[in-house]
Amino acid sequence: MTPIRIAFLGLTDAAPLVVALEKGFAEAEGIALELLRDTSWATLRDRLVYGQVQAAHMLAPLAVAVTLGLSQQPCALSAPCKLNVNGNLLVMNPDFAAALEPDAAARLGDPLATAHDFANAIGLYHRKPIIGVVHRFSSHALILRYFLASAGVDPDRDVVLRVLPPSLMVEAMRAREIDGFTAGEPWGSSAIEAGLAEAVAASERLWQRGVEKVLALRTDWMEDNADTVDRLLRALVAAASWCDDPANREELARLLSHPAYVDQPHDLIERALSGHIVARRGEPPVDLPDFLLFAREATPFPWRSQALWIYSQFVRWRMVESSADAQARAAAVFRPDIYRRALASSEAPMPGASMKVEGALAQPLAIGAPKGAITLGPDRFFDGRMFDPDRIEDYLEGFEVPR
Amino acid sequence: MRIVIIDDSGARATVLEEGLRDAGYDDIHVVPPRGAFVARLERMAPDVVLIDLGNPSRDSLEEMLIVSRALAKPIAMFVDQSDDSMIGAAIDAGVSAYVVDGLRKERVKPILDLAIRRFNAFARMQAERDEALTQLADRKTIDRAKAILMRTRDLSEPDAYALLRTTAMNQGKKMVDVAAALITASDLLGGMS
């Protein structure tokens, strides 16, 4: 048995890691998995960078940021597989939400209109709303900025983005330190259930197949331990398939609700797993079937174009200077080659390409693959833009910079 | 040199503060990581910030440091980026040190070394306290088991203790486990304890 320690945060999308351990998928690959829960992304990152753990459940943009040296300590990280797609909610307190579309399902269904309502609500509020984000280098922060900017809001000028770990968001809402937040589940649902917030946007409606958490490894460790990495990826992909099976949903929710993992009621956790999101306490759930994906449509496959989309947003928000070198290093964080090597002997269907135009699919599309066929789900951005990884400059010029 | 310790555990902050004062630093402030602590910290403009690795406020603090950099206020970074062994030691001890860029390493290193020692000392203190608490609980369990034996088998206290001890030895178990089993059995049989 090869011992592997993985650091994670208490979130529903840590499910493939928990299942790999609890349902024996890791053991079947000869891996003695140990999971270490952290509260803050900074601690999780440091544990990975300084070798206290071999792998981490990491925000995809944070893995890119660490590699580019935007974080505290530069270190080359690699993401040979994604742990999930989508899974976040933006929630705001009921006072603020009262200025938005009152029908919560309509509000979630039309993000472009909601962004404009949001922009108007800022004016009514007489001060900058304070919105909690889990990290500067998170998909949450990047897509929130994109969402706000689509209605002319400058996220660095018109709102205050306050960084807090996801598990502290609900308490910060209760203490009125923040007016809303965007985080992975179950924290949005937890605030809604406490009557402290209403859902304003769901990540699957902002970018239908948005990149979220990855399995992050130190690149040098990954290269020195090829066989172990392959076994770990096989275990995680098998676990992810188990997580996506509706028959396992209740058991999964109960597993995650354990105090060692998410430590929240299982019925709250089940909302994200089933895509039945209660947008306002006491109302019937809104049906969001793609709220959280673990395995279907080759979810774990790390498309390089998605690492480049993250890079494009870093450039857009002036978190990094645009350069050919930075772009190449960002793209290299996602490692479809390692994924292909590890899963070559398995049943997992494998895309033939490593990049795609993100946001181009309005309808499900069956793509040819060297092994099996894969149907990719619609992956549109809510504003209809497409991200061509070969034309990043053109893409960025298409945005009106709100300042 | 202004040093800020971010900590809500009074004991650890005291241990650290005393150590730093002994070492000749006197501009030391303890800030609990609650509410608008980041704004308060910013006004204090510390040269060194010490924070427990497990503190959930680390994300907020790092964000402040990045934004400060953008505003051309003091630039801060995670120790000296070239000194891996020092960072490793800091992490093992549970201390994250944020050091203002441009501050000379000769001045920072002793603070950090001291902080690491103090964090370790605090961890040891806690471990010893936990152990003492466990021992106390163990003794209570053994006392209860002894009382049951004294009542039900009409033994003296030394004999009851000896019986527990020999049973534990014969079974290769800890005395407290034998005692706990006896209490459970006694409860099941009608609660004579």
Side-chain angles (χ1 to χ4, degrees):
Chain A
M1 293 291 260
T2 315
I4 301 262
R5 298 177 90 198
I6 305 185
F8 73 102
L9 252 60
L11 292 161
T12 305
D13 59 24
L17 299 172
V18 172
V19 166
L21 172 66
E22 296 282 350
K23 301 302 291 181
F25 292 105
E27 207 181 339
E29 292 285 350
I31 289 171
L33 191 57
E34 187 189 341
L35 297 180
L36 199 66
R37 183 171 65 178
D38 277 309
T39 305
S40 76
W41 291 110
T43 303
L44 172 135
R45 175 204 61 211
D46 287 352
R47 280 197 208 281
L48 179 65
V49 167
Y50 297 109
Q52 283 194 334
V53 296
Q54 286 79 43
H57 163 232
M58 193 179 265
L59 298 159
L62 183 57
V64 176
V66 171
T67 304
L68 292 179
L70 306 183
S71 200
Q72 296 289 320
Q73 171 80 0
C75 176
L77 297 183
S78 287
C81 100
K82 302 204 311 257
L83 293 175
N84 65 303
V85 149
N86 300 342
N88 304 324
L89 278 181
L90 169 66
V91 302
M92 295 296 293
N93 75 39
D95 291 349
F96 189 92
L100 310 174
E101 161 68 49
D103 177 348
R107 189 196 287 165
L108 294 177
D110 190 352
L112 211 49
T114 303
H116 283 274
D117 286 351
F118 197 106
N120 290 329
I122 293 175
L124 302 172
Y125 214 53
H126 299 299
R127 65 170 172 84
K128 292 184 190 182
I130 305 171
I131 307 172
V133 295
V134 298
H135 199 277
R136 156 178 292 254
F137 302 120
S138 62
S139 40
H140 318 62
L142 298 181
I143 205 78
L144 174 68
R145 286 168 169 274
Y146 189 144
F147 171 74
L148 294 174
S150 73
V153 176
D154 180 343
D156 290 310
R157 181 194 64 200
D158 303 331
V159 295
V160 176
L161 300 183
R162 181 162 294 166
V163 172
L164 283 172
S167 57
L168 300 189
M169 292 288 185
V170 179
E171 278 320 299
M173 284 293 287
R174 200 185 304 278
R176 299 204 147 258
E177 287 170 10
I178 52 175
D179 300 305
F181 66 86
T182 169
E185 281 292 283
W187 304 105
S189 288
S190 175
I192 292 167
E193 207 44 45
L196 296 167
E198 292 182 18
V200 165
S203 58
E204 73 129 86
R205 294 299 174 100
L206 298 177
W207 179 11
Q208 286 179 286
R209 292 294 179 277
V211 57
E212 189 45 46
K213 303 296 187 312
V214 294
L215 179 80
L217 310 169
R218 281 189 317 285
T219 304
D220 54 359
W221 185 86
M222 182 181 78
E223 282 163 2
D224 292 345
N225 296 275
D227 175 59
T228 306
V229 169
D230 288 357
R231 285 187 280 135
L232 180 61
L233 294 197
R234 285 197 293 269
L236 288 176
V237 170
S241 296
W242 190 93
C243 293
D244 254 3
D245 186 344
N248 299 327
R249 204 169 272 155
E250 199 195 329
E251 187 183 351
L252 176 56
R254 284 187 192 277
L255 268 179
L256 290 171
S257 71
H258 191 274
Y261 302 126
V262 180
D263 198 13
Q264 288 284 301
H266 68 90
D267 49 334
L268 273 188
I269 293 170
E270 208 169 336
R271 292 182 187 180
L273 300 176
S274 61
H276 295 142
I277 298 299
V278 176
R280 188 185 287 134
R281 183 167 64 175
E283 287 191 358
V286 181
D287 196 19
L288 299 170
D290 298 328
F291 188 84
L292 180 58
L293 276 62
F294 292 114
R296 60 192 160 102
E297 304 168 13
T299 289
F301 187 79
W303 294 95
R304 282 226 151 109
S305 40
Q306 295 176 342
L308 283 168
W309 181 82
I310 290 167
Y311 165 78
S312 77
Q313 300 303 299
F314 285 179
V315 172
R316 179 181 181 188
W317 302 112
R318 300 173 195 184
M319 294 165 173
V320 70
E321 290 267 347
S322 164
S323 79
D325 172 59
Q327 182 177 328
R329 282 194 293 148
V333 171
F334 277 33
R335 294 297 295 269
D337 53 329
I338 305 282
Y339 183 87
R340 285 207 174 87
R341 184 189 73 198
L343 278 298
S345 59
S346 80
E347 298 289 305
M350 193 69 67
S354 294
M355 298 232 257
K356 61 188 173 86
V357 175
E358 300 290 337
L361 292 183
Q363 300 294 330
L365 176 75
I367 58 164
K371 201 173 54 188
I374 305 170
T375 301
L376 295 181
D379 68 348
R380 308 239 307 163
F381 291 92
F382 69 98
D383 62 356
R385 267 177 226 274
M386 290 181 217
F387 173 73
D388 180 345
D390 291 329
R391 302 177 58 199
I392 295 180
E393 293 302 321
D394 294 348
Y395 175 72
L396 287 173
E397 274 170 25
F399 293 106
E400 289 169 41
V401 180
R403 66 177 106 172
Chain B
M1 164 143 22
R2 176 166 294 176
I3 304 167
V4 170
I5 303 165
I6 300 179
D7 204 306
D8 44 10
S9 124
R12 176 167 39 222
T14 310
V15 170
L16 268 175
E17 191 179 347
E18 278 173 5
L20 290 167
R21 283 191 195 283
D22 289 351
Y25 302 100
D26 52 10
D27 195 1
I28 303 163
H29 306 263
V30 178
V31 175
R34 283 191 293 273
F37 84 99
V38 169
R40 195 173 151 205
L41 196 68
E42 206 159 16
R43 281 198 300 279
M44 289 178 150
D47 297 298
V48 178
V49 179
L50 297 174
I51 183 169
D52 175 4
L53 189 77
N55 195 305
S57 303
R58 289 189 61 208
D59 286 339
S60 316
L61 182 63
E62 284 194 10
E63 176 69 11
M64 177 202 94
L65 298 177
I66 291 173
V67 174
S68 297
R69 194 179 314 182
L71 296 173
K73 283 191 182 161
I75 297 170
M77 56 177 35
F78 188 61
V79 207
D80 185 311
Q81 303 198 342
S82 62
D83 193 346
D84 267 3
S85 65
M86 186 159 134
I87 302 172
I91 285 191
D92 287 340
V95 51
S96 328
Y98 293 89
V99 176
V100 175
D101 195 19
L103 197 67
R104 288 203 318 278
K105 199 161 147 190
E106 306 84 272
R107 297 187 64 196
V108 173
K109 189 155 176 12
I111 302 180
L112 205 60
D113 284 345
L114 186 73
I116 291 167
R117 280 208 304 278
R118 293 279 156 175
F119 264 78
N120 280 334
F122 181 74
R124 226 177 6 253
M125 240 165 56
Q126 270 193 322
E128 279 164 12
R129 196 198 56 189
D130 291 350
E131 200 182 335
L133 285 174
T134 316
Q135 280 177 357
L136 201 65
D138 287 359
R139 211 171 59 210
K140 279 189 178 156
T141 307
I142 291 168
D143 281 350
R144 272 187 70 196
K146 225 162 48 181
I148 294 169
L149 285 178
M150 286 160 70
R151 255 202 321 273
T152 55
R153 303 213 18 201
D154 202 20
L155 294 175
S156 69
E157 189 174 338
D159 288 348
Y161 187 80
L163 181 58
L164 275 176
R165 198 183 50 209
T166 44
T167 308
M169 278 165 62
N170 290 341
Q171 298 188 353
K173 286 182 179 161
K174 282 162 72 177
M175 237 172 99
V176 65
D177 295 335
V178 174
L182 179 63
I183 293 166
T184 309
S186 166
D187 285 348
L188 286 173
L189 293 172
M192 292 290 290
S193 62

